[in-house]
Amino acid sequence: MLLEPRRIVGRVFPILSWSRRYDVRTGIGDLIAGITVALTLIPQSIAYASLAGFEPQYGLYASFAGGFVYAVMGTCPQINIGPTALLSLLTFTYTNGTNSDYAVLLCFIGGIIQLFAGIVQLGFLVEFVSLPVVSGFTSAAAITIASSQIKGLLGLKFNAETFISTWRGVFYNIGRTRFEDTLLGLSCCIVLMGMKALKDIRLKDPQDEKSGRILVLQRSLWFAGVSRNAIIVVIASVVAFFVHEDKDNPLILTGNITPGLPKPQLPPFYTMIGNTTVSAGEMFSHLGSGLLVVPLVGIISNVAIAKAFSKGRTLDATQEIVSLGACNIIGAFFRSFPVNGSFTRSAVSDASGVKTPAAGFYTGIIVLLTLGLLTPYFYFIPRAALSAVIMCAVLHMVDIAILKRLWQNNRLDLIPLLGTFVSCLALGVELGLGCGVAIDVLLLLYYQSRPRLDIKYVDESNYPPHYSIQPIGGLHFASAERLRSKIVSLKHNNNLATLSDLTVIPNGAVTNGASEHRAGSNVLVVHCDAICRLDYTFLQSIKMLVQEWSRNGRVVWCDASPLIKEQLNTVIQEPLYCDREQLGLFLIEITMATITGTTSDTRL
């Protein structure tokens, strides 16, 4: 059945739905949120452009198109699309030593991949990256980002790409530390951390005539807290302006940047490096795995933020992926590097009372005004202040609390968490993420080869003595041989307590000690009600199991679904099936048949 065109258009462009209910009150809420987010976004985007290795205006180029596109196609009002620390670091990783054309092309191709993934419903692939891997990757990336800003904070100049090379460079160049930049950078860090606490201050609200003034003071403190980045950048720029000297600059400044709005143009499929023309193929080759890693990380982050702010509403993850792809594709026409949603700015938007995605319109307009009017004044922004903004912005990304939760819930998940974390710091964030996914796959295979089995020796008054096994879920090739040998060992091992993961239930009671092997207990009942599928390798293993057990026993398949019966019929001749209600009578008939000497696995 084909979907109606109107429904398809309404799903792709949610603005057609919520705009019908848009009123003045909603617009005021979005306007306040949009302005507040812009005061956070503008200084962050300038800093993240530096982190990505580009001039400050590229951060602003990446900040307005996403807001406009997401306002039309997005579903979560709180999300603000723009530069983020994580994607800026990945952009630097894959484009370092080139020029901005590589980042724009990475943004464009990454957007196409995200759009394609959303259209063909590939969002489920994100689920193969577990939360411990994401947490380890994010924490390591945050530490790498903060480390990369140490040289800016201390006024040092050297080339470094990874966590290890950065600290090696700091160690060798520590004697060249610039006192003025260090003093300004550390002061900015202290003030930023202090101002961050302002938004969480809760003043008492006495029921008197002063309550109105207390409310105004409360909101002023909150506004100062969420606007701290802009305030610090402005104050640092003013300080730099007054202490600036033409001959001997006491502070390292941002310097001259290109003013004005970016001209819409096609993404570059060739570029010039020096006097050499680089073709699209060579650019793709240089970007390499970044063409997949960058859009994948963007999708994971965006969906996670949307889930965090869905507040119980049904989340259309596919539309979120489609809208993110569209943001990057459109942004590439305005010289943007890869972008996605920011948790920090989304939290600010939520706290500001945002109502609809239209807040992105207001944020985008303010960014455009900044590009058109204020870029000449960016000359005096100190590099140390931008480094302080980045460091304070990423510190909260280090997730220490997850260690305690995993230790309490599932200690095996600490392996992918710590493996990803260490790999990202030692090998780089892109290889570290790959190592984390590989560890996840190995653990998944381990779990598949160790399926949950409820194996019991049952000797109840209602049933003749028999062995009972109840597998859970799907049985696959990885667990085939281990499960077969485990079951066959039941028949030949008189000491059941020596079998790992075996629950022995004589007379229906669980015991921890050994239980004698009962004479006549040569019937194996396989409960199939919780089995969803069997693969080919496992079916061949089952065939061998039945052949070995049927030499002097029987195998009964209880509550098998039609699909499981169809699969078993292809490898076993006349298997024995029964329902749980018929199991007692069926076992009595089998026991009587065994006494008379009938041992083949045929239907009675």
Side-chain angles (χ1 to χ4, degrees), residues 285-362:
S285 177
H286 182 89
L287 293 173
S289 61
L291 296 172
L292 292 177
V293 173
V294 171
L296 174 64
V297 172
I299 289 174
I300 293 174
S301 301
N302 228 61
V303 173
I305 294 172
K307 286 182 178 179
F309 289 100
S310 60
K311 298 182 178 180
R313 300 188 302 269
T314 301
L315 174 66
D316 189 349
T318 297
Q319 179 58 24
E320 282 299 309
I321 297 173
V322 169
S323 61
L324 178 61
C327 289
N328 278 291
I329 292 173
I330 300 301
F333 286 84
F334 296 93
R335 306 292 295 170
S336 169
F337 57 84
V339 296
N340 70 321
S342 163
F343 192 90
T344 301
R345 296 194 297 269
S346 298
V348 169
S349 181
D350 182 61
S352 301
V354 67
K355 304 297 182 183
T356 71
F361 286 128
Y362 304 118

Side-chain angles (χ1 to χ4, degrees), residues 589-601:
E589 293 178 353
I590 292 177
T591 304
M592 293 177 61
T594 303
I595 295 175
T596 60
T598 305
T599 59
S600 63
D601 193 19

Side-chain angles (χ1 to χ4, degrees), residues 86 90 125-142 293 296-297 300-301 304 397-399 402-403 405-406 410-425 428-444 447:
L86 192 53
L90 288 175
L125 294 176
V126 177
E127 299 173 5
F128 284 91
V129 184
S130 68
L131 287 179
V133 169
V134 173
S135 178
F137 171 73
T138 304
S139 297
V293 173
L296 174 64
V297 172
I300 293 174
S301 301
M397 293 168 56
V398 180
D399 189 1
I402 194 173
L403 292 172
R405 295 195 298 268
L406 291 182
N410 187 2
R411 296 177 184 178
L412 201 60
D413 280 338
L414 288 171
I415 296 176
L417 172 71
L418 298 178
T420 304
F421 180 80
V422 174
S423 298
C424 286
L425 293 181
V429 289
E430 71 285 0
L431 291 178
L433 179 61
C435 291
V437 173
I439 294 172
D440 253 353
V441 171
L442 292 176
L443 284 178
L444 189 62
Y447 289 136

Side-chain angles (χ1 to χ4, degrees), residues 156-158 168-177:
L156 302 176
K157 293 184 178 181
F158 59 86
R168 185 186 297 117
V170 171
F171 177 78
Y172 286 124
N173 293 276
I174 193 67
R176 301 177 182 176
T177 300

Side-chain angles (χ1 to χ4, degrees), residues 197-214:
L198 291 179
K199 63 185 180 63
D200 298 321
I201 294 178
R202 295 292 179 268
L203 301 177
K204 294 183 179 180
D205 188 12
Q207 299 297 323
D208 57 23
E209 68 279 358
K210 296 183 179 180
S211 60
R213 282 181 286 178
I214 291 179

Side-chain angles (χ1 to χ4, degrees), residues 245-278:
E245 298 176 11
D246 292 333
K247 295 182 180 180
D248 185 19
N249 294 327
L251 297 171
I252 299 177
L253 305 180
T254 298
N256 293 313
I257 65 173
T258 305
L261 304 177
K263 296 180 180 179
Q265 55 186 301
L266 291 174
F269 287 95
Y270 70 91
T271 188
M272 296 291 297
I273 298 182
N275 295 324
T276 305
T277 301
V278 182

